[in-house]
Amino acid sequence: MKINRLLILCALAALVAGSACTKKEGGDNRLVILHTNDTHSAIDPDRHNLGGVARRDVLIDSVRGANENVMLIDAGDAVQGSLYYTLFGGEVERKVMNAMGYDIQILGNHEFDKGMDQLAKEWKQLNANRLSTNYDFTGSVLDGLFVPAVVKKFGDKTVGFIGINLDPAGIVTESNYTGVKYIDGIKAANEQAAKLKKEGADMVIAVTHIGYENEPGYSDMDLARNSRDIDVIIGGHSHTVVDPADKRPGVPTWRVANAAGDTISVLQTGSSGVNLGEIDIDLDTKQVSAKLIPVDSRLDSRVGSKIESIVAPYRAKVDSMRSQVIGNSPFEFERKSTEMLNLLSDFVRVRGAELCGKPVDLAIMNKGGIRNSLASGPITQGEIIDIAPFDNSIVVMDIKGQDLLDNFAVMASQDGNGVSGNVSVLYDPSTKQVNSATIDGKPVDPNRTYRLATIDYLAAGNDYMEPLKKGVTIAKSPEVLYTILIDYISAGKLDTLLGAPDKKPRMTAF
């Protein structure tokens, strides 16, 4: 029976990943790493029938069946982005990842979304090694849950793993990471990697959640170029698809020169679990090959009961909410589209004016606050929560024109963000400097006070919108954004906006 099972697994591996139907030669001297990042509670396949945890499990089992040494690693943000997290706070993701047998997990910024106590509750129950090299949790509820490095032996070779996180300031709500002390990521990575090499590690692999390139603070590319002892970087946060098979000019590269002039590997799978990364390492030569494996419907007939039995009790409540029709949209609003960003920006302005009982000069909304698409046709309650799943309220503030201009500059550095339809901002794409900014056709006056509607996450200076902290809040909605949206759509109060999508960018690079 053992032989039959092995043959079945190897045949599946050949179908999925191009593996031979025997265990690969040199098993003791080879390490295969499977990796995910930013899966964002994508338990079920998406609206394009891609991804899904049951399919991912099939792929993981197939690769394990064909290889001697396999590590399964997640680079953070396994949560937030679907009803499974909104309703159950990470419980589903934790159970599923335990069942899949993750070996190493690190924190992303969204792991903090429900606060430290909830994070500690879920992560105490993880089976994986919890890795963080540059967060000091001393005295917090996470104290003792993480280690700065993990060392694994494969044959006569030793591989060290480190975990590098972003600076939570400016991206995580301050009260949600109370007691966490951030340590410079590049410094911590280099010190720990050098220590591991000195102690005999043949290779060091950094698992990171800092973004691929051009991120605030520092990125995987910065880490790669400033390191000497790191051999592979497995990243997350920026949702970058790094496909080693894609040789087109301009696409993200996976081979980077480090500070010593050696070439190292930098990899990331995108987001939402639509790809599984596979890294194949010859531990004798330190040669690395890598690929992305699509997670799609081709193996649905192979899905077993292991994952489905975990998810089923939770799916019943999720499906119930996704079936409650509250309205209709004659058009499709894709998650990353201009019309979706414009829709929510205009809505925030409308609700802001109602909150303070007076007209609001403008509204600001962030792209990162939009987590899903709105299909044309019936709108369900669950669909709206999937689009705006965060516990964000709408706030109205008074803010000086100069602070507003400074914030537009921050938004320009993010390649534009959401503003209401009466606003026009032009910026230089090379310098990210604002060239002009008008409200109702008039240039923003640095000395005037404007009334701004936004969400409390941004008002607190998050998403690096530090200038908004200088505003004075005058009103705040008692409900969170998705609840207000559901109420408005149910009452038909958004029919005009839904029926006339604005496709014109309001922050424009020239």
Side-chain angles (χ1 to χ4, degrees):
M1 294 301 293
K2 273 188 174 180
I3 294 175
N4 289 339
R5 183 175 181 274
L6 175 60
L7 289 174
I8 291 170
L9 288 170
C10 289
L12 181 56
L15 175 63
V16 174
S19 302
C21 286
T22 56
K23 292 268 187 177
K24 290 188 177 179
E25 292 184 5
D28 284 348
N29 299 317
R30 289 180 58 256
L31 171 61
V32 175
I33 298 176
L34 299 177
H35 61 103
T36 53
N37 61 273
D38 299 276
T39 50
H40 284 299
S41 302
I43 302 298
D44 299 323
D46 66 16
R47 56 199 296 268
H48 302 294
N49 200 23
L50 299 173
V53 291
R55 294 169 175 171
R56 191 195 314 166
D57 185 58
V58 172
L59 294 172
I60 292 165
D61 280 350
S62 71
V63 175
R64 282 178 174 147
N67 297 278
E68 192 73 30
N69 302 316
V70 179
M71 294 278 291
L72 180 59
I73 294 173
D74 185 73
D77 275 5
V79 297
Q80 187 62 274
S82 83
L83 280 168
Y84 286 98
Y85 185 68
T86 305
L87 294 174
F88 306 112
E91 182 177 318
V92 186
E93 297 86 341
R94 179 251 304 164
K95 287 184 176 180
V96 164
M97 295 177 85
N98 278 349
M100 289 181 185
Y102 273 81
D103 296 289
I104 290 174
Q105 289 183 236
I106 71 166
L107 294 166
N109 49 297
H110 285 292
E111 267 77 20
F112 291 94
D113 278 0
K114 290 191 179 294
M116 294 280 281
D117 289 339
Q118 181 67 23
L119 174 55
K121 174 187 173 184
E122 289 302 327
W123 278 59
K124 281 178 181 177
Q125 301 175 74
L126 286 182
N127 295 336
N129 288 286
R130 299 173 291 266
L131 190 57
S132 181
T133 307
N134 68 315
Y135 282 167
D136 179 358
F137 299 107
T138 304
S140 77
V141 294
L142 298 178
D143 195 353
L145 286 182
F146 291 81
V147 294
V150 171
V151 176
K152 296 286 186 180
K153 192 85 170 176
F154 304 99
D156 61 352
K157 303 297 181 182
T158 302
V159 180
F161 297 85
I162 61 176
I164 304 299
N165 293 100
L166 49 68
D167 186 346
I171 191 68
V172 178
T173 299
E174 190 172 355
S175 60
N176 285 357
Y177 65 94
T178 302
V180 178
K181 301 176 185 67
Y182 169 76
I183 302 165
D184 179 82
I186 292 179
K187 183 175 184 290
N190 284 333
E191 288 179 355
Q192 188 67 54
K195 180 175 182 286
L196 289 170
K197 286 285 180 79
K198 186 177 181 179
E199 292 173 351
D202 296 285
M203 297 186 75
V204 173
I205 295 172
V207 186
T208 73
H209 195 86
I210 57 179
Y212 176 77
E213 190 172 24
N214 297 326
E215 301 300 314
Y218 65 116
S219 67
D220 287 333
M221 285 304 200
D222 296 319
L223 178 58
R225 292 165 182 149
N226 288 280
S227 68
R228 292 178 179 273
D229 297 299
I230 296 171
D231 300 283
V232 178
I233 296 174
I234 298 172
H237 184 54
S238 58
H239 299 191
T240 307
V241 178
V242 181
D243 185 357
D246 192 342
K247 309 297 184 183
R248 293 174 299 166
V251 301
T253 181
W254 71 291
R255 303 293 278 158
V256 183
N258 70 1
D262 298 323
T263 300
I264 67 173
S265 304
V266 180
L267 296 153
Q268 195 176 147
T269 68
S271 67
S272 303
V274 299
N275 294 306
L276 178 67
E278 181 180 327
I279 306 169
D280 195 322
I281 303 173
D282 185 321
L283 296 174
D284 290 325
T285 65
K286 299 184 182 180
Q287 292 299 304
V288 176
S289 61
K291 62 184 174 183
L292 290 181
I293 307 173
V295 181
D296 56 29
S297 63
R298 69 195 185 283
L299 292 175
D300 279 358
S301 63
R302 306 267 186 176
V303 170
S305 60
K306 179 176 72 173
I307 300 299
E308 286 299 314
S309 63
I310 295 171
V311 175
Y314 302 97
R315 183 179 287 123
K317 188 170 182 179
V318 169
D319 287 347
S320 173
M321 295 191 73
R322 285 178 176 164
S323 66
Q324 296 179 35
V325 176
I326 58 173
N328 186 81
S329 175
F331 297 97
E332 180 178 34
F333 292 79
E334 282 283 352
R335 174 192 169 188
K336 296 182 180 180
S337 67
T338 298
E339 48 264 45
M340 174 65 95
L341 188 58
N342 289 347
L343 172 71
L344 288 187
S345 299
D346 289 341
F347 169 72
V348 168
R349 187 184 182 207
V350 169
R351 179 60 181 140
E354 292 178 349
L355 282 171
C356 64
K358 296 180 180 179
V360 167
D361 293 306
L362 77 159
I364 289 175
M365 183 66 190
N366 61 327
K367 291 180 287 192
I370 304 169
R371 310 306 295 190
N372 219 318
S373 302
L374 179 65
S376 60
I379 303 172
T380 69
Q381 185 182 87
E383 190 174 17
I384 296 304
I385 299 174
D386 281 342
I387 289 169
F390 304 103
D391 294 334
N392 293 326
S393 298
I394 295 176
V395 299
V396 180
M397 65 169 65
D398 286 339
I399 187 168
K400 287 290 187 182
Q402 185 58 58
D403 297 326
L404 200 53
L405 289 169
D406 291 343
N407 202 70
F408 286 153
V410 173
M411 295 163 72
S413 72
Q414 301 165 342
D415 291 320
N417 235 309
V419 292
S420 50
N422 62 324
V423 178
S424 176
V425 179
L426 294 177
Y427 65 93
D428 187 328
S430 59
T431 65
K432 309 299 183 184
Q433 295 299 305
V434 173
N435 178 263
S436 68
T438 64
I439 299 174
D440 295 321
K442 298 177 182 179
V444 175
D445 181 350
N447 298 311
R448 180 187 157 184
T449 297
Y450 291 86
R451 186 148 289 180
L452 166 70
T454 187
I455 54 175
D456 56 355
Y457 174 75
L458 300 182
N462 292 309
D463 233 356
Y464 307 106
M465 297 192 191
E466 188 79 13
L468 296 188
K469 292 172 69 174
K470 297 179 181 180
V472 177
T473 298
I474 61 172
K476 181 177 180 179
S477 67
E479 318 91 343
V480 296
L481 179 59
Y482 64 75
T483 299
I484 306 169
L485 277 166
I486 289 169
D487 291 343
Y488 271 60
I489 293 170
S490 300
K493 295 167 68 174
L494 275 188
D495 288 353
T496 300
L497 291 178
L498 291 169
D502 182 0
K503 298 182 180 182
K504 183 180 178 182
R506 296 160 181 179
M507 289 197 71
T508 311
F510 66 91

